[in-house]
Amino acid sequence: MEIIQQWYTNLTAIEQFFWTIALIASTVFLVQAVLTLIGMDSDYDFDFADGDTMDMGGALSLFSIRSIVNFFVGFGWCGVSMIGSTENTFLIYAVSVLAGIAFTSMYLFLRRKLKGLESNGSLNMTDCLGMEGSVYLRIPARKKGKGKIQVSVNGSIHEFDAVTQGEQIPTGELVKIVALEGNTPVVAKCQE
């Protein structure tokens, strides 16, 4: 511990500044990563008085804890790496801020792409309009009762109650969903 204290006290003020930010931000980043891996992660947003958090959409906020940590990881480590390459402190700070913004932008971009992979598994019946399927249980004529159809949606077979406006459709017949009445498909025989 004494060696670390001696090393830290021998640093210049700007070196101490960037090393402190880099080490603290990296520690928080690692804790977040471990918590994510064991399933105990969460991403809190700062709440401003007027409710404006510069929300980027899709529950991603520019001012989330993770975004701020990513900014300081990029800012801190860029500053640490640039200290030995130039004496111009303005340049060090400017490039470090840009690196922090780049880290935050990469995080938001990747997070948005990962959010796009989420699916709740629910099926929107309007997406089924125009799809073809087969009659599983005969469909009575002119909406006098319901039959059942099977339709493949996104690689999964779904079974729906169905009605028809035309003549009775027997089991095994190919049908097309032409309309919806509520969530009940209205089907017609496919033209061969």
Side-chain angles (χ1 to χ4, degrees), residues 59-72:
L60 296 177
S61 175
L62 183 60
F63 291 113
S64 69
I65 300 293
R66 289 180 189 263
S67 296
I68 292 169
V69 168
N70 278 286
F71 174 83
F72 283 115

Side-chain angles (χ1 to χ4, degrees), residues 118-136:
E118 287 183 1
S119 172
N120 65 5
S122 65
L123 179 65
N124 186 353
M125 288 301 294
T126 57
D127 294 339
C128 296
L129 284 171
M131 291 187 161
E132 296 181 357
S134 63
V135 176
Y136 180 66

Side-chain angles (χ1 to χ4, degrees), residues 91-163:
L91 181 64
I92 294 172
Y93 282 108
V95 173
S96 296
V97 166
L98 292 175
I101 291 170
F103 270 58
T104 302
S105 298
M106 284 188 295
Y107 164 73
L108 291 173
F109 173 77
L110 292 173
R111 185 75 188 264
R112 184 172 293 127
K113 290 297 181 187
L114 288 174
K115 284 279 188 190
L117 296 176
E118 287 183 1
S119 172
N120 65 5
S122 65
L123 179 65
N124 186 353
M125 288 301 294
T126 57
D127 294 339
C128 296
L129 284 171
M131 291 187 161
E132 296 181 357
S134 63
V135 176
Y136 180 66
L137 291 175
R138 76 171 177 79
I139 303 171
R142 290 176 279 292
K143 298 184 184 178
K144 291 188 178 171
K146 293 181 180 179
K148 291 203 180 280
I149 60 171
Q150 291 181 331
V151 180
S152 177
V153 181
N154 296 327
S156 294
I157 302 284
H158 294 271
E159 188 176 289
F160 304 113
D161 289 334
V163 295

Side-chain angles (χ1 to χ4, degrees), residues 46-55:
F46 292 120
D47 190 14
F48 296 103
D50 63 355
D52 182 17
T53 60
M54 294 180 69
D55 194 6

